[in-house]
Amino acid sequence: MLPPDTYRHQGLRRQLLNELREGGVTSAAVHEAMNSIPRHFFMDGAFVEFAYENKAFQIGAGQTISQPFTVGFQSQLLELSPGQKVLEIGTGSGYQTSVLCKMGAKVYSIERQKLLHDRAKSLLNQLNLRPTLVYGDGFKGLPGYAPFDKVLITCGAPHVPEELLKQLKIGGKMVIPLGEGNVQEMTEIIKMGENEYGRKTHGKFSFVPMLTSREYKE
Ligand code: SAH
């Protein structure tokens, strides 16, 4: 069963969103979506009081729910229109996935930790959201559902995955935090032609790593 979403939670959420706005997340569509999703549903009951601080948080399996500012910033960079197909790599808690769903996107999300995949699936179902959640390796993408209007990577990628560029529509955009270690450069890649790409960077962020199968242990 879902926990209650009290006036107190709703008030804290609005405060957090004001903080995000001051930091540059100004998109009305992003605000509306983030306001409609109780972030505390995605955190362990014992830590609910941390849900509306602008911080990343442990969600099990050594992974974290991204910082709210990061979720807002990445969602804004995507420049989504309702109905667009988005491929997300790193479902994690499912929080970012639900924000994309609320923005009207048709969302496909891959997670390689079975425990997190299963939990997100059950929670999003209870929220009446219906993304396609896949347990698998994000480096491979989902060729069967390609091409995508947007690709969003929510873990620190050591390089741009070739396969994911192929699955992006011409005119589409990938948002990817690039770099190994603790710091990544938020990068936007526009696919301008079959083999023609434009790139912009948007500052430093910190993500858990995007792991290849070699590094991965259940
Ligand atoms: N969007 C998530 C953020 C989770 S952190 C949220 O809102 O909670 C990043 C997630 O990426 C982790 O759950 C991690 O297990 C996952 N991940 C790392 N490498 C991956 C890969 N190669 N394929 C799919 N998921 C991956």
Side-chain angles (χ1 to χ4, degrees):
M1 234 196 30
L2 292 172
D5 184 33
T6 65
Y7 284 125
R8 180 167 167 271
H9 291 126
Q10 292 167 29
L12 290 171
R13 200 147 69 235
R14 275 192 296 274
Q15 255 176 41
L16 173 65
L17 283 167
N18 285 337
E19 233 183 90
L20 266 51
R21 190 178 288 112
E22 282 161 24
V25 176
T26 53
S27 153
V30 171
H31 277 261
E32 211 173 292
M34 288 182 76
N35 198 33
S36 71
I37 301 281
R39 187 171 183 258
H40 63 280
F41 288 3
F42 297 79
M43 290 172 51
D44 190 313
F47 301 109
V48 159
E49 73 247 51
F50 298 109
Y52 299 104
E53 289 182 11
N54 187 23
K55 289 192 181 136
F57 211 82
Q58 298 294 329
I59 50 170
Q63 305 304 321
T64 56
I65 178 171
S66 298
Q67 203 182 344
F69 179 77
T70 304
V71 172
F73 193 84
Q74 288 198 298
S75 304
Q76 177 165 290
L77 270 185
L78 282 178
E79 296 183 301
L80 278 176
S81 312
Q84 285 193 331
K85 268 169 73 180
V86 182
L87 173 63
E88 178 193 31
I89 310 301
T91 314
S93 67
Y95 177 65
Q96 169 77 76
T97 316
S98 359
V99 170
L100 299 175
C101 289
K102 284 286 183 182
M103 290 176 76
K106 197 163 169 12
V107 187
Y108 300 78
S109 184
I110 311 180
E111 172 57 54
R112 61 173 320 164
Q113 298 270 8
K114 183 77 163 70
L115 172 76
L116 299 179
H117 163 80
D118 289 345
R119 268 201 220 145
K121 198 160 190 155
S122 136
L123 178 54
L124 269 53
N125 207 31
Q126 289 180 71
L127 289 169
N128 285 315
L129 299 172
R130 302 274 182 270
T132 302
L133 299 182
V134 176
Y135 167 54
D137 180 6
F139 279 99
K140 300 199 171 82
L142 292 173
Y145 293 103
F148 298 95
D149 297 287
K150 307 284 160 70
V151 173
L152 173 63
I153 298 177
T154 72
C155 32
H159 59 264
V160 181
E162 199 55 41
E163 206 35 60
L164 300 185
L165 283 179
K166 276 193 210 149
Q167 294 175 27
L168 193 57
K169 270 186 198 167
I170 292 177
K173 187 198 277 197
M174 176 186 290
V175 171
I176 177 169
L178 270 177
E180 287 178 278
N182 292 329
V183 181
Q184 285 76 35
E185 184 89 60
M186 187 65 76
T187 308
E188 171 185 347
I189 299 177
I190 311 269
K191 183 162 176 173
M192 297 183 308
E194 209 41 75
N195 281 307
E196 200 189 333
Y197 298 95
R199 234 186 226 235
K200 264 194 228 165
T201 56
H202 297 275
K204 308 274 190 220
F205 286 77
S206 187
F207 285 85
V208 296
M210 182 171 184
L211 297 178
T212 60
S213 41
R214 201 163 20 85
E215 295 159 306
Y216 176 64
K217 287 186 209 75
E218 281 266 4

